[in-house]
mmCIF file of all heavy atoms in Angstrom:
data_model
loop_
_atom_site.group_PDB
_atom_site.id
_atom_site.type_symbol
_atom_site.label_atom_id
_atom_site.label_comp_id
_atom_site.label_asym_id
_atom_site.label_seq_id
_atom_site.Cartn_x
_atom_site.Cartn_y
_atom_site.Cartn_z
ATOM 1 N N PRO A 105 32.741 29.671 -35.959
ATOM 2 C CA PRO A 105 31.709 28.801 -35.512
ATOM 3 C C PRO A 105 31.608 28.549 -34.022
ATOM 4 O O PRO A 105 32.703 28.374 -33.489
ATOM 5 C CB PRO A 105 31.812 27.476 -36.367
ATOM 6 C CG PRO A 105 32.711 27.952 -37.547
ATOM 7 C CD PRO A 105 33.506 29.047 -37.043
ATOM 8 N N VAL A 106 30.445 28.444 -33.529
ATOM 9 C CA VAL A 106 30.266 28.135 -32.041
ATOM 10 C C VAL A 106 29.398 26.961 -32.030
ATOM 11 O O VAL A 106 28.273 26.930 -32.572
ATOM 12 C CB VAL A 106 29.588 29.347 -31.283
ATOM 13 C CG1 VAL A 106 29.399 29.017 -29.854
ATOM 14 C CG2 VAL A 106 30.545 30.575 -31.523
ATOM 15 N N ASN A 107 29.874 25.958 -31.234
ATOM 16 C CA ASN A 107 28.991 24.686 -31.087
ATOM 17 C C ASN A 107 28.539 24.091 -32.566
ATOM 18 O O ASN A 107 27.430 23.653 -32.545
ATOM 19 C CB ASN A 107 27.771 24.878 -30.181
ATOM 20 C CG ASN A 107 28.294 25.298 -28.775
ATOM 21 O OD1 ASN A 107 29.187 24.854 -28.325
ATOM 22 N ND2 ASN A 107 27.411 26.197 -28.192
ATOM 23 N N GLY A 108 29.501 24.163 -33.410
ATOM 24 C CA GLY A 108 29.232 23.522 -34.626
ATOM 25 C C GLY A 108 28.217 24.357 -35.676
ATOM 26 O O GLY A 108 27.764 23.864 -36.710
ATOM 27 N N VAL A 109 27.896 25.556 -35.227
ATOM 28 C CA VAL A 109 27.019 26.479 -35.989
ATOM 29 C C VAL A 109 27.669 27.681 -36.436
ATOM 30 O O VAL A 109 28.317 28.353 -35.685
ATOM 31 C CB VAL A 109 25.724 26.755 -35.236
ATOM 32 C CG1 VAL A 109 24.779 27.675 -36.075
ATOM 33 C CG2 VAL A 109 24.931 25.486 -34.885
ATOM 34 N N ALA A 110 27.773 27.975 -37.766
ATOM 35 C CA ALA A 110 28.447 29.170 -38.288
ATOM 36 C C ALA A 110 27.323 30.209 -38.605
ATOM 37 O O ALA A 110 26.341 29.892 -39.002
ATOM 38 C CB ALA A 110 29.050 28.815 -39.581
ATOM 39 N N SER A 111 27.645 31.609 -38.368
ATOM 40 C CA SER A 111 26.858 32.629 -38.758
ATOM 41 C C SER A 111 27.415 33.310 -39.938
ATOM 42 O O SER A 111 28.654 33.677 -39.917
ATOM 43 C CB SER A 111 26.698 33.694 -37.613
ATOM 44 O OG SER A 111 26.013 33.082 -36.478
ATOM 45 N N VAL A 112 26.776 33.311 -41.044
ATOM 46 C CA VAL A 112 27.240 33.963 -42.289
ATOM 47 C C VAL A 112 26.372 35.121 -42.663
ATOM 48 O O VAL A 112 25.129 35.012 -42.624
ATOM 49 C CB VAL A 112 27.249 32.891 -43.415
ATOM 50 C CG1 VAL A 112 27.725 33.514 -44.761
ATOM 51 C CG2 VAL A 112 28.157 31.708 -43.009
ATOM 52 N N THR A 113 26.949 36.199 -43.094
ATOM 53 C CA THR A 113 26.242 37.436 -43.598
ATOM 54 C C THR A 113 26.671 37.601 -45.019
ATOM 55 O O THR A 113 27.843 37.665 -45.325
ATOM 56 C CB THR A 113 26.491 38.683 -42.725
ATOM 57 O OG1 THR A 113 26.281 38.296 -41.334
ATOM 58 C CG2 THR A 113 25.795 39.810 -43.266
ATOM 59 N N LEU A 114 25.558 37.558 -45.935
ATOM 60 C CA LEU A 114 25.774 37.824 -47.269
ATOM 61 C C LEU A 114 25.181 39.072 -47.762
ATOM 62 O O LEU A 114 23.947 39.303 -47.449
ATOM 63 C CB LEU A 114 25.197 36.666 -48.175
ATOM 64 C CG LEU A 114 25.663 35.196 -47.916
ATOM 65 C CD1 LEU A 114 24.941 34.266 -48.661
ATOM 66 C CD2 LEU A 114 27.296 35.121 -48.294
ATOM 67 N N SER A 115 25.847 39.898 -48.424
ATOM 68 C CA SER A 115 25.245 41.061 -49.131
ATOM 69 C C SER A 115 25.125 40.720 -50.642
ATOM 70 O O SER A 115 26.200 40.318 -51.245
ATOM 71 C CB SER A 115 26.082 42.369 -49.017
ATOM 72 O OG SER A 115 26.035 42.742 -47.651
#
Side-chain angles (χ1 to χ4, degrees):
V106 176
N107 296 327
V109 177
S111 292
V112 177
T113 304
L114 300 175
S115 293

